[in-house]
Amino acid sequence: CADATAQLRRSTEMTRLLLIGAPGAGKGTQAEKLAIAFDIPAISTGDIFRHNVKNETELGKQAKAFMDRGEYVPDSLTNDLVRDRLSQADAKDGFLLDGYPRTADQVVELDEILSANGTALDVVVQLTADTDEVVRRLLNRALEQGRADDTEDVIRRRLEVYEEQTAPLINVYAARDLVVTVDGLGEVSEVTGRILEALAARGITAK
């Protein structure tokens, strides 16, 4: 299976990246930088939801019904939305996924989506950051955005949930030798440089 995956990656010059990182690790900022560097779309589930809801697509209407009730969008619908997004023209030559997959089941689904297109992920970039520093960042962000409900206890719980849900995913991808780990702390350009250097070591260079 690993050999087949490697063969799929070698069969094209496309760049397919997955960015994983705790809230506050700078994932969104780095996703934007990498999308520009590789000339590929940065795709997040949040963006997918907002786009489909705004454009009142059939999938968007279904997602909105859950969101309006304050419920999570089910995996099955999230998978359909991602499948649809990855089938669009701008993702044909590569993409950067941010926020998906979040669960082991979604890893399996993504494998199936990519396999159906004869492709596979090239690299999973794991952004790491000191927990206390992340808490400080998120508290400052909450203060700036007037989000009084984002207390330190709530933020630390979110980080615990991230570790609980994401560690198994990282282990799956690490077993496929896809994970590169990069320190997410420091100046934005400095972190971007670290990521580009780690990717170059894997033979993946920016355009």
Side-chain angles (χ1 to χ4, degrees), residues 83 105-119:
R83 184 186 300 274
D105 286 344
Q106 288 180 358
V107 169
V108 173
E109 185 68 23
L110 179 60
D111 284 345
E112 292 178 357
I113 292 172
L114 296 179
S115 178
N117 295 327
T119 61

Side-chain angles (χ1 to χ4, degrees), residues 6 15 25 30 37 42 62-63 102-104 111 134 137 139 163 191-192:
T15 304
Q30 293 304 324
Q62 294 177 42
R102 289 180 184 271
T103 66
D111 284 345
V134 167
R137 283 187 184 182
L139 284 173
E163 290 296 335
V191 177
T192 304

